Amino acid sequence: MQIFFVSLIIVGMFVSLVMDRMRPGLILFSAVILMMLLGIISPGEAIAGFSNKGMITVAMLYLVSEGVRKSGVLERIIFSLLPTKKISVEQSNLRFLPIVSSLSAFLNNTPVVVIFAPMIKNWARKMHLPPSKFLIPLSYATILGGMTTLIGTSTNLVVDGMIQDSLQSGLINVQTGGHTLGMFELSRVGLFICLTGLFYLVMIAPMLLPDHREGGEEEEETNKHLPPGMMLMEVMITPRFPGINRTLRDFDFYRHYGANVKAIRRSGQPLRGDFMNTRLTKEDTLIVEADESFYTAWKDSRVFLMINKLGEVEVPMGSRKKWLTLVLVVLMILGATVGELPAVSALLPNLQVDMFFCAAVTTVIMAWTGIFSPRRYTKFISWDVLITIACAFAISRGMTNSGFADMVGERIVDLAQMARHSERGIYIMLAALYLITNLFTELITNNAAAALAFPLALSISSTLGMDPTPFFICICFAASASFSTPIGYQTNLIVQGMGGYKFQDFLKVGLPLNLIVFLLSVFLIPLFY
């Protein structure tokens, strides 16, 4: 009966996430409460995820990424890379996409795209190149870079947190080789995937991307005729925006924010006709006429995901804080990389110098020195993502406790009975686990996908008496490889509105990249693990 109930809860959760009636965190929290009411998990297991080091590390990395964004270091990097003379799309992408991937390996993907997308868009217009040739590759490059390290994406930290939880509870047998993920554990396969993906984005993707040149010149011309002190801004709304599902005639945008809405873009396309009577959705981007006070007041608000002053960039902070930020981030990465080596552990026996430790120290120093606003720090954290991650641990435990994970895992093993006698069976099982996880991440969220797939990987490895690490690595790649739809990853939604992309554009460019990552993952993981 518990397997039956868990099946119903997971199906209901999946449908709710696809229908998008509530935020993902609340949907997963509802599933956790139902499992607790049915006795599938205990109250302690229901809330254990909220104290997990992986979840708290994700929260602190949001603040570290905000500090880096405020410092202006990334702007300096991208300005030095963008050509000052017109060159081809391929040459332009080759100059900055590898750097973008390298940065996203150590920073949260969303702020990297939020910073770079407006700059690249404005640069492309000045060079008379179509911005649509650069923005999807920008989003995909950050995703590829995030696959290469433990801190590159929250998904990797979630999987590592589940591994730690399973080791402590005895669900993973250390004798079979189970262990937590190191900083560069994923790099052995991730670097091959990243480099191949970048080659595809530089050489092949531009031929598949649309050529959207319209709009930029019109906006620049409109800017010239604005009243003194006013400018056009591109504003991307979030689910917290109070005007969702209301029209602009019902919701007085000027009274709330002191700015006039001049146009609405939906799924990257401008709405024609009387847009004032169109109900707003969370995928909409607004073109507003406002002064500098609007930008100052709302640039860090959770109501808007991004505000881009068309043709301008934010003034960075002083050079002293900029260098301090750079030093702190480098020390954080180095500390997390070497902190768990035996020599360091022997030197500092009372300290566990891991990613959590280094991120915590870096966050506090950034707050003390004012690199990010210590009074407004809660605005920079995506709380819904954290709730989703915390609840993912409880749902994963419910799938294990009920026997649901073992049942599905055994079916996957049945698909590859030759696994006990031939190496081909390993590829079949990895492929099945990858496809299940990747389907989940394209339709729901990457962290929820990892939560559903983790107990399956654990069950498969336990059934075969194998090292579970390759299956966990497979989940990390599959849950991050969201290229075929704009809804699977937040960075895709950001560039969709800015680049004027349709859903089909992501499908056309993303499906081949999904296939590349799938094949490389399935065939390389057994070679390295």
Side-chain angles (χ1 to χ4, degrees):
M1 288 302 296
Q2 285 194 345
I3 292 177
F4 173 73
F5 286 134
V6 168
S7 302
L8 286 181
I9 291 170
I10 289 175
V11 169
M13 181 183 75
F14 187 85
V15 171
S16 300
L17 287 166
V18 172
M19 293 178 67
D20 199 22
R21 294 293 178 86
M22 295 189 295
R23 299 295 295 141
L26 187 56
I27 293 173
L28 267 71
F29 186 68
S30 301
V32 170
I33 298 304
L34 286 174
M35 288 185 179
M36 185 179 70
L37 289 173
L38 293 168
I40 297 169
I41 57 176
S42 67
E45 290 173 326
I47 64 172
F50 289 90
S51 62
N52 184 272
K53 287 169 66 175
M55 188 274 289
I56 299 173
T57 302
V58 171
M60 291 186 294
L61 288 176
Y62 273 112
L63 297 178
V64 172
S65 296
E66 175 61 19
V68 174
R69 188 189 75 82
K70 288 277 190 182
S71 71
V73 171
L74 297 184
E75 283 92 337
R76 289 290 299 273
I77 292 173
I78 201 68
F79 268 134
S80 65
L81 294 173
L82 291 175
T84 55
K85 296 181 180 179
K86 185 175 180 179
I87 59 176
S88 69
V89 171
E90 291 78 9
Q91 289 175 312
S92 301
N93 278 328
L94 184 60
R95 289 190 66 164
F96 68 82
L97 287 185
I99 303 300
V100 168
S101 289
S102 301
L103 291 171
S104 66
F106 304 105
L107 298 173
N108 187 278
N109 293 348
T110 301
V112 172
V113 173
V114 166
I115 292 170
F116 286 173
M119 297 174 66
I120 291 172
K121 182 178 180 179
N122 294 331
W123 166 83
R125 285 175 175 168
K126 291 177 181 177
M127 295 292 107
H128 303 288
L129 292 170
S132 56
K133 295 289 186 181
F134 301 99
L135 295 179
I136 277 184
L138 170 67
S139 176
Y140 289 176
T142 62
I143 296 173
L144 290 169
M147 293 181 179
T148 59
T149 67
L150 176 63
I151 63 172
T153 174
S154 60
T155 307
N156 298 344
L157 286 165
V158 168
V159 173
D160 186 57
M162 290 183 173
I163 294 172
Q164 293 179 30
D165 184 56
S166 300
L167 284 169
Q168 292 173 0
S169 60
L171 292 175
I172 294 179
N173 185 358
V174 181
Q175 294 179 349
T176 60
H179 61 275
T180 57
L181 303 179
M183 172 65 81
F184 297 103
E185 181 84 42
L186 296 158
S187 301
R188 286 184 275 179
V189 177
L191 281 176
F192 286 97
I193 293 175
C194 185
L195 292 173
T196 307
L198 287 175
F199 176 83
Y200 168 81
L201 293 176
V202 171
M203 303 304 298
I204 301 173
M207 295 185 288
L208 304 175
L209 287 164
D211 187 340
H212 292 162
R213 296 175 186 266
E214 69 278 9
E217 291 77 10
E218 295 176 9
E219 288 169 0
E220 289 178 6
E221 188 65 28
T222 306
N223 249 331
K224 297 177 183 178
H225 301 288
L226 291 175
M230 305 296 283
M231 67 186 78
L232 286 183
M233 301 187 194
E234 205 169 26
V235 178
M236 182 169 290
I237 62 179
T238 72
R240 292 191 176 207
F241 178 66
I244 295 288
N245 294 324
R246 299 172 65 183
T247 68
L248 288 172
R249 295 199 185 280
D250 295 333
F251 181 80
D252 191 339
F253 192 91
Y254 183 83
R255 182 174 65 84
H256 282 81
Y257 304 108
N260 292 310
V261 178
K262 294 297 185 180
I264 301 176
R265 291 184 190 151
R266 178 167 299 164
S267 298
Q269 304 302 309
L271 296 182
R272 306 297 181 184
D274 185 13
F275 64 83
M276 296 294 290
N277 284 321
T278 302
R279 293 186 181 275
L280 297 172
T281 70
K282 68 176 184 179
E283 286 85 17
D284 289 344
T285 300
L286 310 180
I287 305 298
V288 304
E289 177 188 311
D291 58 17
E292 186 69 28
S293 63
F294 172 82
Y295 182 78
T296 304
W298 298 103
K299 64 178 179 178
D300 293 327
S301 169
R302 296 301 304 280
V303 174
F304 303 123
L305 178 62
M306 181 190 67
I307 300 178
N308 170 32
K309 293 191 289 186
L310 296 174
E312 298 186 31
V313 295
E314 186 178 354
V315 178
M317 63 175 64
S319 59
R320 185 173 297 179
K321 286 185 178 180
K322 185 184 302 181
W323 284 109
L324 176 60
T325 302
L326 191 60
V327 169
L328 287 173
V329 172
V330 171
L331 290 177
M332 180 188 76
I333 296 167
L334 289 175
T337 304
V338 304
E340 296 189 31
L341 294 176
V344 178
S345 300
L347 184 64
L348 303 170
N350 296 324
L351 293 179
Q352 186 178 353
V353 185
D354 55 7
M355 190 63 237
F356 170 82
F357 178 91
C358 296
V361 173
T362 303
T363 301
V364 170
I365 294 175
M366 282 187 169
W368 286 349
T369 54
I371 292 175
F372 62 79
S373 174
R375 292 184 176 274
R376 307 179 68 186
Y377 75 98
T378 56
K379 293 181 177 293
F380 311 133
I381 299 173
S382 180
W383 295 102
D384 188 74
V385 170
L386 296 186
I387 294 171
T388 300
I389 292 171
C391 293
F393 288 94
I395 292 170
S396 177
R397 180 54 63 92
M399 293 172 66
T400 302
N401 290 354
S402 65
F404 176 87
D406 288 338
M407 181 188 71
V408 178
E410 287 169 3
R411 300 289 82 78
I412 295 176
V413 173
D414 289 342
L415 291 174
Q417 281 296 330
M418 66 184 75
R420 299 177 185 274
H421 313 290
S422 168
E423 290 185 0
R424 291 183 181 179
I426 303 299
Y427 296 118
I428 295 173
M429 285 189 295
L430 284 173
L433 182 64
Y434 184 102
L435 292 173
I436 291 172
T437 309
N438 195 242
L439 176 63
F440 286 163
T441 202
E442 291 288 9
L443 296 177
I444 51 177
T445 68
N446 51 338
N447 292 316
L452 294 176
F454 183 86
L456 304 184
L458 193 60
S459 176
I460 293 170
S461 61
S462 298
T463 302
L464 297 173
M466 293 173 55
D467 180 357
T469 303
F471 299 100
F472 298 152
I473 299 292
C474 180
I475 291 174
C476 290
F477 293 139
S480 294
S482 180
F483 304 113
S484 299
T485 69
I487 62 175
Y489 221 89
Q490 192 175 40
T491 57
N492 291 347
L493 284 174
I494 294 172
V495 300
Q496 182 186 28
M498 295 192 69
Y501 298 112
K502 298 179 181 178
F503 189 95
Q504 298 92 310
D505 295 327
F506 286 89
L507 203 62
K508 186 189 299 182
V509 183
L511 265 181
L513 188 54
N514 266 120
L515 182 61
I516 290 170
V517 177
F518 166 68
L519 292 174
L520 288 175
S521 299
V522 170
F523 286 102
L524 289 179
I525 288 174
L527 297 180
F528 288 95
Y529 299 93

